[in-house]
Amino acid sequence: MIIFDLVFDLFFAIYTSLGFGTKEYKIQTKMEKVGKQYPILLNIYQTNQKLFETDDYLGNLVLNLNVKNEEATKEFASIIQQYFNK
């Protein structure tokens, strides 16, 4: 059992040290998926990446987005464009 715990801790440490599973990685992955359909959003994200990763409102907006729902993605695109066109 101790060996299992050590192996699990080792895999978890490697997984997180490579950046997988972090909030930043999840945001980046979702924005890249959305960027295929809305390239302007990918451009906005790349320009303001640090803001997306540190601002709770933007971060949660991206993390809560259901990328498979076209209507939700369209609404998300509208919100992001309005947010950055202030």
Side-chain angles (χ1 to χ4, degrees), residues 4 9 12 27 38 48 67 82:
F4 177 74
D9 288 342
F12 185 74
I27 291 172
Y38 298 94
N48 303 289
V67 189
Q82 288 175 1

Side-chain angles (χ1 to χ4, degrees), residues 5 8-9 11 13 22 28 32 40 43 48 53 57-58 66 69 71 76 78-79 83-84:
D5 286 340
F8 178 76
D9 288 342
F11 281 126
T22 62
Q28 180 181 4
E32 287 173 354
I40 187 78
N43 187 25
N48 303 289
E53 294 172 355
Y57 173 72
L58 287 174
N66 181 359
N69 184 336
E71 196 62 38
F76 171 77
S78 175
I79 291 170
Y83 185 86
F84 284 98

